[in-house]
Amino acid sequence: MWEAIETPRPAAWRVIFKGLTLLEHLVKNGSERCVDDARNHSHLLRNLDKFNYYEGTVDRGVGVREKGKQITEMLQDDERIREERGKARQL
């Protein structure tokens, strides 16, 4: 998963986005170790706010930037993680 997120090729935006989606799922539904591991790799997530990739005139990097921002904000707030994990358990 971290290898997918670290991919240096912007053209691989789909792989990066899928890696972020998996990370979000693991943070919400996985063990506490997943949260700790995500926090240890938070520097990678913060770097995604500069991610850019355009196909013609369409900005394909916006999804990666937004998802990275959402995960980073969630990892910085313990209460929000507890809420999200509680919601995930109810489903």
Side-chain angles (χ1 to χ4, degrees):
M1 173 184 64
W2 293 116
E3 188 176 320
I5 293 173
E6 288 181 72
T7 302
R9 297 177 314 122
W13 66 271
R14 286 181 185 93
V15 174
I16 297 168
F17 188 80
K18 289 176 185 179
L20 289 171
T21 303
L22 174 61
L23 175 61
E24 181 180 39
H25 177 79
L26 290 174
V27 167
K28 290 179 180 180
N29 298 292
S31 70
E32 287 294 324
R33 286 187 67 190
C34 294
V35 175
D36 293 338
D37 192 39
R39 284 183 173 151
N40 290 338
H41 288 88
S42 63
H43 62 283
L44 294 174
L45 300 172
R46 276 188 248 113
N47 287 339
L48 292 175
D49 67 347
K50 301 175 208 104
F51 185 85
N52 282 317
Y53 183 70
Y54 288 89
E55 282 182 352
T57 59
V58 180
D59 183 7
R60 299 293 185 187
V62 71
V64 172
R65 289 191 302 271
E66 288 298 315
K67 183 75 78 174
K69 182 180 173 187
Q70 290 171 1
I71 294 171
T72 302
E73 289 173 356
M74 182 171 45
L75 290 174
Q76 292 173 350
D77 186 2
D78 288 335
E79 184 60 36
R80 183 166 170 206
I81 289 176
R82 274 194 285 281
E83 285 177 18
E84 294 291 340
R85 290 172 73 85
K87 287 179 193 175
R89 262 187 236 112
Q90 291 176 353
L91 294 178

